[in-house]
């Protein structure tokens, strides 16, 4: 399934990463004789592309499956179905050994700077691991030079390389995490809530560092986050996820100025505005996110949508174009524009 | 100058002072420098202050180890030498801890008995750790094998070590080796369960995911990321196993299913003094006291290790 053919302007501009109808269902144990009692539909049909040098943000509330998408792309587990295509080559059906050299092209930065570095390894060894694995340095001298350059690139002193992770602060550790991702010289970095655990000033530093690195090295970033302010600041395109599906995907300015899905609207209205005088219209959703074990039929948002009508409860809306480069999965867009509250 | 006389000066400065003291002031004689340098002293003091459990436990265990190793030079006689004329003597200058009903010197027997206890304790701790670590690693990493292995471990856990030792003794004969085997078999599942649990939580750590994403092979993941982080909780567990092995050894020897009576061990000595304990309590008291102190020392060491190796304390290891 290739949902958005018009996103590709030309064949030559091949996306660095393509995800097609990705599904990951976790079995719930506890059934008779080890059978599954049911499934958690963590990710249920997600498709998108990332171009070289582009930042795509994946936003949504906790538990909507955005981190699972990141891990699925990294092939940290087997997919239930779907494809992951890295630079034109399908990687989800490769064997471990065949995949290993391709891992060099995509790296990851995790949320928690404390558990993402092995406490029993010196920074030097942490950073050297990908370089050695992928044979990126021909001699020890070259390795040492690369390690020093990496430290400098992420704004840490060169000689800090001989220290242990616990000797650094959270922000510094996140820089080491970024340096480890850069060590493999990748084309794509998946930032799984990479700045969520940091306090505001450090967060700004890390965001700026990521932007600088992207500009310098032409990296593509998949920026998984729930922080819409940061997303608006640093991404090119945004995909909004709800209960394992993408409900809306558009360029950053389009999405923030004219959201086309009721969920996106509600999400955006929840972003705090740093001005106490501003009167804003908050859209308060009722109820909780339904369980991904038993997602609602039809549109997954129908239990909480303020504009819900009969069709939403029976038929699942597809992600379709509402404007150039703007996609939303909502039945409202099928009716006449005059009756569409999203317009 | 008179002001200077009251100033407390470091010992080195006092020793190298060239100007003689004034007439009305008698200087203390320069003391020879027998203490280790201040830096080492401070380091030792800080260690004791930070990890008092480890310091006390380690010191006691060290004394016990020395007593066991250097037993022949610590004023002992042959612990198996029978002297019928000197039976059940009270502690005295010749027999420091008294004699038993065959006239054997209890002090010598207790010191030599320390060898058995320590050998059994350490061997069981090391063997059970190695076997448990291997089984736990396989169980934690190979999900298919996990169910089968853990059920086997449950089965092993249900074997009482004392019954197993009696069975082994009935099959062969009493020896230190058989005691070690019997206790080890009973202790392996403890380590295996602990290691499995730690491995299962470690493989979910983001740094393991990051290592996989960096192209590290599974054997290297185990070696570099999983094993080093497993060793700390395992070594703590090993100290507790060491302590419990010593107790089980004493129990086995006490009921006559352990070390043959020829070899003095704390359990043997207590077993032999059992019938006389109301009138000659020292025969039982001294080996029991040594056993208690040794087990306490090992447990203190384990507690100290646990505190020191706790990653939350973020101390340099």
């Amino acid at each position: 399934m290739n949902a958005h053919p018009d996103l590709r302007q030309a064949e030559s501009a091949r996306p660095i990463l393509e995800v097609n109808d990705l599904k990951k269902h976790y079995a719930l144990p506890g059934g008779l004789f080890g059978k599954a009692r049911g499934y958690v539909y963590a990710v249920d049909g997600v498709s998108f592309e990332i171009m070289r040098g582009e930042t795509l943000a994946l936003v949504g509330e906790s538990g909507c499956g955005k981190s699972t998408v990141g891990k699925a792309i990294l092939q940290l587990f087997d997919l239930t179905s779907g494809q992951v295509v890295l630079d034109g080559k399908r990687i989800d059906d490769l064997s471990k050994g065949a995949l290993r050299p391709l891992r060099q092209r995509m790296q990851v930065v995790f949320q928690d700077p404390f558990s993402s570095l092995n406490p029993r390894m010196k920074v030097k060894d942490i950073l050297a691991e990908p370089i050695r694995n992928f044979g990126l340095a021909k001699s020890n001298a070259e390795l040492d030079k690369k390690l020093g350059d990496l430290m400098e690139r992420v704004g840490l002193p060169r000689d800090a390389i001989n220290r242990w992770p616990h000797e650094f602060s959270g922000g510094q550790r996140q820089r080491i995490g970024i340096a480890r991702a850069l060590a493999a010289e990748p084309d794509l970095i998946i930032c799984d809530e990479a700045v969520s655990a940091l306090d505001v000033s450090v967060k700004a530093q890390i965001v700026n560092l990521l932007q600088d690195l992207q500009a310098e090295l032409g990296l593509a970033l998949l920026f998984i986050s729930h922080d819409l302010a940061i997303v608006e600041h640093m991404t090119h395109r945004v995909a909004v996820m709800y209960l394992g599906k993408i409900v809306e995907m558009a360029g950053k300015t389009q999405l923030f100025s004219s959201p086309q899905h009721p969920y996106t609207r509600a999400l955006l209205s929840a972003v705090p505005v740093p001005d106490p005088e501003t009167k804003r219209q908050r859209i308060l959703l009722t109820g909780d996110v339904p369980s991904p074990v038993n997602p609602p039929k039809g549109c997954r948002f129908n239990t909480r949508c303020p504009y819900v009508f009969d069709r939403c409860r029976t038929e699942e809306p597809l992600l379709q174009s509402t404007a150039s480069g703007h996609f939303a999965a909502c039945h409202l867009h099928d009716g006449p524009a005059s009756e569409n509250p999203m317009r | 100058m008179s002001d200077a006389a009251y100033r407390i000066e470091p010992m080195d400065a006092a020793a190298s002072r060239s100007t003689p003291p004034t007439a009305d002031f008698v200087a203390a004689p320069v003391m020879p420098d027998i203490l280790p340098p201040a830096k080492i002293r401070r380091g030792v003091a800080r260690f004791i202050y930070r990890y008092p459990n480890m310091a006390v436990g380690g010191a006691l265990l060290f004394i016990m180890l020395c007593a066991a190793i250097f037993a022949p030079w610590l004023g002992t006689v042959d612990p198996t030498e029978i002297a019928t004329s000197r039976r059940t003597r009270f502690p005295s200058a010749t027999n420091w801890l008294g004699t038993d009903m065959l006239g054997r010197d209890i002090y010598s027997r207790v010191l030599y008995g320390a060898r058995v206890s320590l050998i059994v304790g350490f061997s069981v701790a090391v063997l059970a750790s190695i076997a448990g670590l291997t089984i736990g690693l396989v169980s934690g990493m190979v999900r298919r094998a996990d169910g089968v292995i853990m059920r086997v471990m449950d089965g092993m856990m249900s074997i009482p070590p004392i019954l197993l030792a009696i069975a082994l003794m009935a099959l062969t004969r009493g020896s230190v080796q058989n005691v070690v085997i019997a206790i080890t078999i009973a202790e392996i599942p403890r380590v295996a369960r602990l290691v499995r649990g730690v491995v299962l939580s470690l493989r979910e750590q983001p740094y393991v995911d990051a290592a996989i994403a960096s192209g590290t092979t599974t054997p290297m993941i185990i070696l570099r990321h999983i094993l080093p982080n497993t060793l700390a909780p395992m070594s703590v567990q090993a100290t507790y196993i060491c302590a419990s092995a010593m107790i089980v050894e004493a129990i086995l020897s006490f009921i006559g299913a352990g070390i043959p009576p020829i070899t003095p061990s704390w359990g043997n000595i207590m077993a032999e003094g059992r019938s006389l304990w109301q009138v000659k309590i020292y025969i039982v008291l001294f080996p029991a006291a040594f056993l208690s102190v040794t087990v306490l020392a090992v447990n203190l060491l384990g507690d100290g290790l646990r505190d020191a190796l706790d990653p939350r304390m973020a101390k340099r290891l």
Side-chain angles (χ1 to χ4, degrees):
Chain A
M1 176 183 143
N2 201 344
H4 338 294
D6 52 333
L7 261 188
R8 294 196 196 179
Q9 262 99 37
E11 271 304 310
S12 60
R14 191 164 63 179
I16 183 71
L17 178 82
E18 238 179 298
V19 175
N20 287 332
D21 202 23
L22 181 83
K23 288 186 183 172
K24 177 64 188 175
H25 302 164
Y26 290 101
L28 282 174
L32 208 55
F33 298 115
K35 273 192 174 172
R37 195 152 44 85
Y39 290 93
V40 180
Y41 298 93
V43 177
D44 206 15
V46 161
S47 307
F48 58 82
E49 295 166 326
I50 302 177
M51 310 305 282
R52 280 171 194 281
E54 186 191 38
T55 306
L56 173 71
L58 207 52
V59 301
E61 54 200 300
S62 333
C64 72
K66 38 190 205 305
S67 289
T68 311
V69 171
K71 289 190 172 182
I73 293 169
L74 290 164
Q75 301 292 306
L76 294 175
F77 43 65
D78 293 332
L79 307 180
T80 307
S81 71
Q83 296 182 339
V84 177
V85 182
L86 182 70
D87 202 14
K89 188 169 172 24
R90 201 174 154 188
I91 58 167
D92 54 280
D93 52 358
L94 294 179
S95 71
K96 262 187 171 181
L99 178 65
R100 197 164 291 124
L102 293 174
R103 288 191 183 278
Q104 182 243 324
R105 313 202 46 189
M106 47 179 196
Q107 289 293 305
V108 61
V109 179
F110 285 108
Q111 171 174 20
D112 181 2
F114 291 91
S115 58
S116 60
L117 304 178
N118 185 344
R120 317 247 159 204
M121 278 168 86
K122 284 189 173 180
V123 174
K124 183 172 59 181
D125 299 317
I126 292 174
L127 297 186
E129 194 170 23
I131 299 180
R132 289 206 184 102
N133 284 342
F134 298 126
L136 297 173
K138 281 165 196 73
S139 63
N140 277 336
E142 195 187 345
L143 178 68
D144 286 344
K145 187 182 174 302
K146 281 201 166 177
L147 294 178
D149 291 348
L150 279 170
M151 292 297 273
E152 221 154 67
R153 177 148 257 164
V154 296
L156 291 171
R158 281 184 105 97
D159 52 0
I161 200 117
N162 284 315
R163 294 210 231 145
W164 297 90
H166 70 253
E167 295 176 57
F168 295 89
S169 70
Q172 288 172 319
R173 293 173 69 123
Q174 201 62 316
R175 287 171 190 269
I176 298 170
I178 293 171
R180 171 178 54 197
L182 293 176
E185 299 168 19
D187 300 319
L188 168 73
I189 294 185
I190 293 170
C191 301
D192 188 354
E193 303 264 14
V195 295
S196 312
L198 307 172
D199 54 44
V200 179
S201 58
V202 181
K203 199 183 271 194
Q205 293 171 8
I206 299 290
V207 165
N208 290 337
L209 172 67
L210 283 171
Q211 279 184 309
D212 294 347
L213 290 171
Q214 181 171 41
E216 271 176 61
L217 306 170
L219 289 170
L221 295 179
L222 176 63
F223 196 81
I224 299 169
S225 179
H226 59 253
D227 187 337
L228 289 166
I230 296 237
V231 165
E232 189 173 11
H233 175 70
M234 76 167 289
T235 61
H236 301 116
R237 279 194 306 136
V238 183
V240 181
M241 275 186 81
Y242 183 78
L243 265 182
K245 276 187 177 295
I246 291 182
V247 295
E248 185 168 0
M249 178 153 60
K252 172 181 73 181
T253 31
Q254 276 175 302
L255 188 118
F256 280 89
S257 59
S258 67
Q260 295 295 309
H261 194 283
Y263 178 65
T264 315
R265 278 209 172 173
L267 207 59
L268 291 182
S269 84
V271 177
V273 181
D275 177 8
E277 300 296 313
T278 315
K279 289 271 177 290
R280 57 201 174 111
Q281 195 200 345
R282 294 269 319 254
I283 304 169
L284 287 176
L285 294 177
T286 50
D288 289 324
V289 186
S291 158
V293 178
N294 195 6
K297 288 207 172 49
C299 175
R300 299 198 165 192
F301 191 52
N302 78 43
T303 53
R304 304 171 78 193
C305 183
Y307 310 111
V308 63
F309 57 103
D310 287 343
R311 192 178 163 203
C312 304
R313 297 198 179 88
T314 52
E315 192 185 326
E316 187 156 352
L318 296 174
L319 203 58
Q320 51 184 323
S321 178
T322 61
S324 170
H326 198 142
F327 301 86
C330 184
H331 289 313
L332 287 172
H333 298 297
D334 290 347
S338 55
E339 289 172 27
N340 187 348
M342 291 284 107
R343 295 285 174 194
Chain B
M1 191 63 214
S2 62
D3 278 351
Y6 296 107
R7 208 168 57 216
I8 298 164
E9 285 180 86
M11 203 176 279
D12 292 358
S16 64
R17 191 166 49 199
S18 52
T19 47
T22 44
D24 57 339
F25 181 82
V26 183
V30 174
M31 302 291 285
D33 228 359
I34 51 162
L35 286 170
K39 207 174 173 186
I40 295 177
R41 285 203 311 259
R42 222 173 298 130
V44 170
R46 191 180 303 138
F47 180 83
I48 294 173
Y49 178 76
R50 258 187 168 180
Y51 310 114
N53 284 344
M54 240 209 286
V56 174
L60 280 174
L61 198 63
F62 181 72
I63 293 170
M64 217 45 96
L65 258 177
C66 288
I69 293 169
F70 301 112
W73 297 279
L74 291 172
T76 58
V77 295
D78 181 1
T80 54
E81 189 190 73
I82 295 170
T84 41
S85 55
R86 282 185 279 120
R87 288 181 303 164
T88 61
R89 290 276 169 86
F90 242 70
S92 66
T94 42
N95 302 105
W96 293 351
L97 303 183
T99 60
D100 65 5
M101 56 283 210
L102 295 176
R104 294 174 294 193
D105 181 41
I106 292 179
Y107 170 68
S108 309
R109 288 179 70 74
V110 166
L111 280 204
Y112 279 96
R115 294 182 166 184
V116 172
S117 279
L118 292 173
I119 286 174
V120 170
F122 289 125
S123 319
V124 169
V126 169
L127 292 177
S129 296
I130 293 172
L133 182 68
T134 317
I135 296 171
L137 269 179
V138 172
S139 193
M141 294 305 296
V142 188
R143 304 303 295 134
R144 276 166 214 279
D146 185 34
V148 177
I149 292 178
M150 287 332 281
R151 293 300 78 71
V152 172
M153 288 295 114
D154 288 347
M156 275 172 74
M157 239 177 166
S158 66
I159 303 172
I162 294 176
L163 280 185
L164 184 69
I166 294 172
L168 271 177
M169 245 47 83
L171 281 174
T172 56
R173 58 185 187 79
S175 67
V176 176
Q177 188 193 328
N178 281 349
V179 170
V180 169
I181 292 173
I183 305 175
T184 302
I185 287 176
E187 296 285 359
I188 284 174
R190 267 177 223 262
V191 188
R193 277 168 165 247
L194 175 92
V195 171
R196 170 182 173 269
V198 173
V199 169
L200 284 183
S201 72
L202 284 178
R203 47 183 280 163
E204 300 297 320
Q205 289 290 313
Y207 61 79
V208 173
D209 279 347
I212 297 173
S214 325
T216 309
T217 56
T218 310
M220 284 313 285
I221 297 253
I222 295 173
L223 215 64
R224 225 184 256 164
H225 298 278
I226 303 228
L227 201 58
N229 289 293
T230 315
L231 291 181
M234 200 203 66
S235 53
V236 174
Q237 182 74 11
T239 57
Y240 296 133
I241 285 176
C242 175
S244 100
M246 287 181 193
I247 293 177
V248 174
E249 181 275 320
I251 294 172
L252 286 174
S253 301
F254 187 80
I255 62 171
I259 314 298
I262 294 287
T263 319
S265 86
W266 293 338
N268 281 344
I269 305 170
M270 283 191 271
E272 285 152 9
R274 185 176 85 241
S275 49
L276 290 176
W277 78 273
Q278 278 162 316
V279 279
K280 308 282 182 189
I281 193 169
Y282 56 88
I283 304 181
V284 176
L285 186 71
F286 290 115
F290 270 72
L291 178 66
S292 308
V293 169
T294 312
V295 170
L296 176 73
V298 176
N299 276 328
L300 280 177
L301 193 67
D303 283 350
L305 265 182
R306 190 195 54 209
D307 294 346
L309 296 177
D310 192 340
R312 276 171 301 178
M313 298 197 160
K315 280 171 192 155
R316 188 166 184 158
L317 297 171

